[in-house]
Amino acid sequence: MSTERPPHDDDQDAETTLSRIMGERRDKASALRDAGHNPFRNDVGPATTLAALIAEYAPTRPPPPEPPPPGAPKQKAPPITPIDERLHRVAGRVLVKRGMGKTVFAPIRDTTGEIQLYLNVDHLAADDFAQVLPQLDTGDIVVAEGPAFWTKTRELSILVRRLWIATKSLRPLPSKEFVTEKGEQRGGFTDVEQRYRQRYVDLAINPDVRDVFRRRSAIVRGIRRFLDQRDFLEVETPMMHPIIGGAAARPFITHHNALDMKLFLRIAPELYLKRLVVGGLERVYEINRNFRNEGLSRAHNPEFTMLEFYQAYATYLELMDLTEAMIGELAHDVVGSTKVTWDGTEIELAAPWRRLSIRDAVRDLGNVADAARIFEDPQFAAEAAVAHGVPAADVARVLVEGIPGGVGNLPLTDVVPGFKDPAQRSRLAASILERYDTQEQRRVTAGHLGYLVFEATAEDKLIQPTFLTEFPLAVSPLARRNEQDGAFCDRFELFVNGKEIANGFSELNDPDDQRCRFQAQLLARAAGAAETMDYDEDYCRALEIGMPPAAGEGIGIDRLAMLLTGQPSIRDVILFPLMRPTGDG
RNA sequence: GGGGGCAUAGCUCAAUGGUAGAGCAUCGGACUCUUAAUCCGCAGGCUGAAGGUUCGAGUCCUUCUGCCCUCACCA
């Protein structure tokens, strides 16, 4: 039991406040050891949860005392009388230590609540008062035993007879927040970078943060209950995929040594889950991580949690109803209201939600004249897209992707420069469109361009919950074609506050159509699209076995948690968001 | 990747280019019912890193590192 301090990270060199405090705390730990008390012990439980204790004694709370008559001498506190003689063993982290001479008040917190310890020379065991209490610091984990009593200010407290320091805290916690005389907020732990990097401190200090993650957990639990009640089966499918599929995104790449095999961290579980539907698991869901190699933002973390579920014999229309019901139930259970405030905007989650076609969104929210024509006439759509701020290179690529049989004879490097010139643009578009075989392909391309116009003009105006419908085929490679109009799909996305929360559609189960869609993905990749799917031959084989008609949906759990907890940043609903390393750990 | 902002004591924040301060926490003292306890006192800093301008830099300039916002990409 040496009092020599082990070499330790960054606190060695200068005698800073921090290194002094840590040294003092190590000295206190040594003093405990010398007195026969292990400062890192594990034999002092179990303890009553504080919430249970508080609830149990709540009915015994005394009434407020009569106010003393003016001028009366200050009365001495009456002797302490426990409520009953039962001894309670409680445990928790010491939040503050208030010394009053022969008395110390120390509120502690466990995962359920807070209670105050009353540590007094006349009641605490002599050895504990002399040997343990002097070594107690804010942040220590303590176990205390004694009866409960009410203070004269009617606060439930433990009249401590035995005290153990179960874990000595060597590193100081940030100070409690308070308000200065000027009304400024001071103290606390508010630096967002430190809060994310040291989430353990954030959780220990900030009750609101603990609450957010409790609610996130309740959301996930609520989803499971909702789906389980409807006979969905929870499954787990591979997180490491040999080919890219199920979504449009760039993957993370890894390698398996024994098989000497390149693997992709999954960008979506979709194609595996639908294989299960083929196999007869007619209702399945998975809640797990997806990984997408994209930038970070308030709404994006490279790994994020997705719920995907599939229901045989359902259509996308039924899934919209189901989604309203699910999120409505979660709002009721977790928020207690259908109204939430998210990022300063009041959101009304009561059903029904607006259902709006992309075409109408462009017309009514994007204020685009001739919106209908955009979705019919690719020549017109190309002009409109550029006019509304879609980059000319993107428009050119979409046009080229529609050429049947490939794009090898029309390099984009030739097309794009010309396309940026307004004078040449419309002639160039016309010459590309001449190569199209069918009227349907022309409309598919018009729809694709219309979608780009939607993103540029209307997407961020979808504030209240809205199901966006009638998605163009070209951006929906796994969705079922609409029966009436084959250029569009039976698909929806749910938007709230301009952010996509959910994406669902009736599933494409025609293997030949699916093959054409995969082929189109390869063409798009050849035309320069960065995020495309691989051709999944085994998936097509599964569809040849036969997938029952079905509909499926993905819901971003992080964003749903943001919505239902009112957090503006995805990092506030992810315990350990991805951060750049700092070098000092 | 582009643009804008931020980085000072353990925490939260101040400081016209002229000696780096405050509150809280810590440490010492007083106090046997406190709630940010109160009162007295002492300490605590390579101002994110490296260069430069200047008689003199926390402050101005350059580069780097990290974070936040925003745009792009995406969900």
Side-chain angles (χ1 to χ4, degrees):
Chain A
M1 250 172 266
S2 162
T3 56
E4 201 173 275
R5 291 164 206 162
H8 199 278
D9 56 47
D10 49 12
D11 313 320
Q12 271 299 295
D13 304 326
E15 175 73 0
T16 60
T17 307
L18 177 61
S19 63
R20 182 173 58 75
I21 291 172
M22 292 187 69
E24 287 158 359
R25 290 184 170 214
R26 286 180 185 282
D27 292 344
K28 289 178 182 174
S30 295
L32 284 169
R33 283 199 183 91
D34 293 345
H37 300 284
N38 182 353
F40 297 98
R41 62 194 306 158
N42 190 20
D43 55 351
V44 283
T48 312
T49 67
L50 300 185
L53 206 59
I54 291 162
E56 183 183 343
Y57 282 111
T60 69
R61 191 178 196 204
E66 295 292 321
K74 201 172 178 182
Q75 283 190 341
K76 209 180 166 194
I80 289 169
T81 51
I83 302 166
D84 55 46
E85 261 311 315
R86 287 158 56 217
L87 297 183
H88 303 284
R89 189 170 279 200
V90 296
R93 188 183 298 278
V94 174
L95 300 173
V96 298
K97 188 183 172 191
R98 281 190 288 272
M100 289 279 301
K102 301 284 192 296
T103 297
V104 172
F105 290 92
I108 64 170
R109 171 155 67 210
D110 74 0
T111 192
T112 67
E114 297 178 11
I115 202 166
Q116 175 173 271
L117 302 183
Y118 179 84
L119 302 147
N120 177 272
V121 63
D122 297 333
H123 297 88
L124 185 61
D127 179 68
D128 291 348
F129 189 84
Q131 305 292 339
V132 179
L133 188 55
Q135 319 306 336
L136 184 68
D137 284 310
T138 303
D140 289 350
I141 308 290
V142 299
V143 177
E145 191 180 79
F149 76 103
W150 291 102
T151 66
K152 70 177 183 188
T153 51
R154 302 160 64 234
E155 173 159 348
L156 186 64
S157 307
I158 299 295
L159 180 60
V160 179
R161 293 182 179 158
R162 294 299 319 276
L163 176 70
W164 299 267
I165 294 178
T167 303
K168 186 74 196 134
S169 171
L170 298 181
R171 195 177 281 272
L173 282 172
S175 68
K176 194 171 177 172
E177 67 177 24
F178 62 97
V179 179
T180 65
E181 288 174 3
K182 295 177 187 169
E184 295 166 323
Q185 196 82 19
R186 286 292 157 84
F189 190 61
T190 58
D191 182 276
V192 289
E193 178 176 358
Q194 297 310 317
R195 285 184 44 228
Y196 299 151
R197 290 191 191 279
Q198 300 177 45
R199 187 68 92 178
Y200 39 89
V201 176
D202 193 26
L203 289 165
I205 290 295
N206 295 319
D208 294 352
V209 174
R210 282 198 303 278
D211 191 49
V212 165
F213 288 104
R214 283 208 191 88
R215 278 148 74 194
R216 177 178 172 135
S217 181
I219 290 163
V220 173
R221 212 159 43 240
I223 290 169
R224 288 205 162 95
R225 187 176 58 235
F226 183 93
L227 291 172
D228 292 346
Q229 282 169 351
R230 286 162 178 77
D231 295 322
F232 282 82
L233 182 72
E234 182 170 11
V235 298
E236 289 162 281
T237 63
M239 311 279 285
M240 296 194 290
H241 292 184
I243 61 175
I244 306 166
R250 285 205 293 258
F252 287 92
I253 302 170
T254 187
H255 180 263
H256 185 265
N257 289 340
L259 296 178
D260 189 20
M261 178 186 180
K262 182 177 175 181
L263 285 166
F264 304 99
L265 299 189
R266 79 173 183 198
I267 58 173
E270 172 154 359
L271 299 182
Y272 284 96
L273 291 170
K274 285 194 283 196
R275 282 175 170 93
L276 300 180
V277 177
V278 170
L281 302 181
E282 294 180 347
R283 296 184 178 200
V284 293
Y285 73 97
E286 178 166 8
I287 299 174
N288 222 321
R289 229 66 66 80
N290 290 344
F291 306 87
R292 299 189 184 175
N293 210 336
E294 310 284 351
L296 291 76
S297 80
R298 287 209 313 171
H300 300 84
N301 196 62
E303 57 175 306
F304 62 101
T305 303
M306 180 83 106
L307 160 69
E308 280 204 17
F309 60 96
Y310 292 83
Q311 178 177 350
Y313 310 108
T315 70
Y316 78 116
L317 295 170
E318 293 166 69
L319 290 195
M320 285 193 273
D321 296 338
L322 192 76
T323 304
E324 275 175 352
M326 181 193 292
I327 295 180
E329 192 174 301
L330 292 171
H332 177 268
D333 293 350
V334 178
V335 185
S337 165
T338 59
K339 282 191 177 63
V340 297
T341 301
W342 187 15
D343 209 2
T345 305
E346 181 149 300
I347 306 292
E348 174 55 77
L349 291 171
W353 299 338
R354 180 168 57 166
R355 301 185 181 191
L356 186 69
S357 72
I358 290 181
R359 190 187 321 242
D360 290 347
V362 168
R363 184 190 62 206
D364 297 340
L365 300 176
N367 292 316
V368 174
D370 293 324
R373 191 177 164 197
I374 287 177
F375 290 83
E376 299 294 330
D377 177 352
Q379 175 87 38
F380 181 78
E383 301 281 358
V386 174
H388 285 96
V390 179
D394 292 352
V395 175
R397 201 186 68 223
V398 167
L399 287 171
V400 170
E401 280 173 21
I403 299 172
V407 295
N409 56 349
L410 189 57
L412 264 182
T413 47
D414 294 352
V415 175
V416 169
F419 211 84
K420 285 177 176 164
D421 176 7
Q424 291 187 52
R425 186 180 303 136
S426 95
R427 195 158 35 83
L428 202 47
S431 75
I432 294 170
L433 288 165
E434 271 175 18
R435 304 197 188 195
Y436 282 36
D437 279 346
T438 63
Q439 180 60 22
E440 183 187 284
Q441 186 53 52
R442 296 173 61 83
R443 296 190 65 250
V444 166
T445 294
H448 194 168
L449 292 169
Y451 184 71
L452 298 182
V453 174
F454 159 76
E455 290 183 314
T457 63
E459 185 173 20
D460 60 359
K461 293 172 184 158
L462 296 169
I463 303 302
Q464 295 302 318
T466 303
F467 288 114
L468 196 70
T469 61
E470 292 182 31
F471 273 68
L473 189 85
V475 298
S476 315
L478 303 168
R480 182 185 180 83
R481 234 177 249 268
N482 182 266
E483 295 282 347
Q484 276 71 47
D485 186 344
F488 291 85
C489 286
D490 290 344
R491 174 181 175 190
F492 69 88
E493 284 189 352
L494 171 64
F495 281 82
V496 181
N497 218 13
K499 293 186 179 70
E500 183 188 337
I501 301 288
N503 173 23
F505 41 84
S506 298
E507 300 299 339
L508 172 58
N509 63 348
D510 176 341
D512 292 335
D513 194 356
Q514 184 65 68
R515 285 203 153 89
C516 291
R517 306 286 190 87
F518 280 139
Q519 200 63 49
Q521 287 287 299
L522 297 184
L523 289 178
R525 182 180 297 176
E531 290 105 13
T532 55
M533 298 183 198
D534 285 331
Y535 194 118
D536 192 332
E537 175 56 33
D538 182 71
Y539 177 68
C540 294
R541 180 192 171 96
L543 292 186
E544 286 167 349
I545 298 292
M547 180 168 76
E553 178 173 346
I555 298 180
I557 299 300
D558 311 278
R559 289 189 180 171
L560 183 61
M562 289 165 69
L563 168 65
L564 293 178
T565 60
Q567 298 299 312
S569 171
I570 199 167
R571 295 183 195 99
D572 290 320
V573 298
I574 292 175
L575 282 166
F576 299 101
L578 184 67
M579 304 287 278
R580 276 195 174 81
T582 54
D584 62 26

